Amino acid sequence: MLLIGVEAAQAREPYGDYVCQYIFNPYTGNLQSSYNPLKITHYGIQAKNTNAGTKTWEAKYQGPIRLTWRNGENHRFHNFYLVNQRVEFSISDEPFITHNGRKYYVINFDGQWQLAEAIY
C-alpha cells in the first residue's frame, strides 16, 4: 500500500460513522484485527475504544486528493489536518481493499494504515 503521487480529485462527502476492523502491520505485511468506532463530522474526528477511552480531535478538511499506488491504481481520498495533533488523516472515497470477501475503506492516520467499514 505505498503511494507515489498526489493529485486533486472530485469526490463524495466523507462524513459519517465507520468501524476500523484491521490495522496493517508494515513489518510483517499482515492485518491485525481491531475494533475502533470512528465518527467523522464537519468539526472533527472522534475515535472510541482507544486505550484512553473516547478521543475527539478538531480537524480541518483539506479536500479530496488522488493517491497512486505502486501497482499504478489510482484512488480518491479525503484529507484532513488534525489541528492539535499536527498530523494528517485521510480516508478513501470508496471501499476498495478486499479482505475475506469484504471491501473496506482505507484510512491513513499519521502513517498507520487501517481498513474500515461504513456504518449505515
Side-chain angles (χ1 to χ4, degrees):
M1 288 202 260
L2 204 73
L3 86 109
I4 55 174
V6 177
E7 160 191 327
Q10 296 287 353
R12 68 166 184 80
E13 291 284 321
Y15 307 108
D17 294 298
Y18 301 86
V19 174
C20 296
Q21 299 285 5
Y22 298 96
I23 297 171
F24 177 70
N25 183 329
Y27 302 106
T28 65
N30 294 327
L31 293 174
Q32 297 170 310
S33 185
S34 173
Y35 183 83
N36 291 314
L38 185 70
K39 183 178 200 77
I40 301 173
T41 71
H42 289 84
Y43 306 105
I45 297 171
Q46 182 181 72
K48 297 181 181 180
N49 292 348
T50 67
N51 292 336
T54 299
K55 290 186 179 182
T56 303
W57 299 286
E58 179 186 356
K60 292 178 93 176
Y61 182 60
Q62 298 187 116
I65 58 174
R66 184 171 294 279
L67 301 181
T68 302
W69 302 94
R70 182 182 287 175
N71 67 2
E73 289 182 15
N74 289 299
H75 296 282
R76 290 178 300 204
F77 280 73
H78 296 275
N79 199 43
F80 295 84
Y81 180 72
L82 279 61
V83 178
N84 295 333
Q85 278 26 65
R86 296 186 181 128
V87 299
E88 294 203 3
F89 171 95
S90 58
I91 183 168
S92 62
D93 190 52
E94 59 187 30
F96 70 90
I97 295 289
T98 302
H99 180 66
N100 291 337
R102 298 178 97 162
K103 285 199 171 214
Y104 293 91
Y105 289 85
V106 176
I107 293 175
N108 183 328
F109 184 78
D110 194 27
Q112 180 187 71
W113 294 95
Q114 303 175 12
L115 301 183
E117 291 182 296
I119 300 173
Y120 299 104

